[in-house]
Amino acid sequence: MTARSSIVLVVAGLCLAGIGVAQEKTIEKIPIQHTSAASGPQMYVAYCAACHGKDGKGDGPAASALKVAPTDLTTLAKRNNGKFPRNEVYDAISGQRAIAAHGSKEMPVWGTLFHSIDAHESWSMLRLKNLTDYIETLQVK
């Protein structure tokens, strides 16, 4: 192999490595936004839509950066014999339920974060309830 072909191989390898690095996506973590505890839709947009998508189909703008695709929230009832799994959804949002796809907690544990913006636990529980109620409205018929 000539010195010139060796240089070409090294340059090609560096270019390919650069492409791999350029395609790697990162998730930027920002402080939690304060929203109304009474508004399930407002909380969904602020806390869930980036991954689960505006319509809950798992196609949010951050979804492609995740190791495991976000759940299509519109089919939760369908996948549970037509019954919305209220307790499971509430527990998943609050962090009380371990979900294998979440691995090392890529999905934020909103219960803990809600406590950080609300002084009273009752407000955090209201947030969890109203967010769960809103996700129920996303179910396909």
Side-chain angles (χ1 to χ4, degrees):
M1 184 179 285
T2 67
R4 183 176 182 176
S5 59
S6 295
I7 292 172
V8 170
L9 285 176
V10 169
V11 170
L14 290 173
C15 288
L16 289 174
I19 290 170
V21 170
Q23 291 177 347
E24 186 176 312
K25 297 183 182 192
T26 59
I27 298 172
E28 180 183 342
K29 294 183 180 187
I30 58 173
I32 187 170
Q33 300 173 24
H34 192 282
T35 59
S36 169
S39 178
Q42 184 184 45
M43 287 186 291
Y44 181 84
V45 168
Y47 310 136
C48 310
C51 296
H52 290 283
K54 184 183 91 171
D55 299 322
K57 296 182 186 286
D59 59 354
S64 63
L66 302 176
K67 293 175 189 166
V68 177
T71 299
D72 179 344
L73 299 176
T74 68
T75 61
L76 295 173
K78 183 178 179 180
R79 289 183 278 134
N80 285 279
N81 300 317
K83 185 175 188 273
F84 181 69
R86 171 170 297 287
N87 292 338
E88 289 85 355
V89 171
Y90 183 99
D91 289 349
I93 297 167
S94 70
Q96 296 175 39
R97 181 181 188 90
I99 298 177
H102 291 167
S104 62
K105 295 286 184 205
E106 281 191 56
M107 179 178 137
V109 178
W110 292 110
T112 303
L113 293 170
F114 290 160
H115 288 301
S116 75
I117 59 173
D118 291 317
H120 301 286
E121 186 171 338
S122 60
W123 283 105
S124 298
M125 292 172 64
L126 179 62
R127 286 179 178 282
L128 293 166
K129 180 203 174 298
N130 288 339
L131 188 51
T132 300
D133 289 348
Y134 179 71
I135 292 169
E136 185 173 15
T137 70
L138 299 176
Q139 301 311 292
V140 291
K141 304 294 180 209

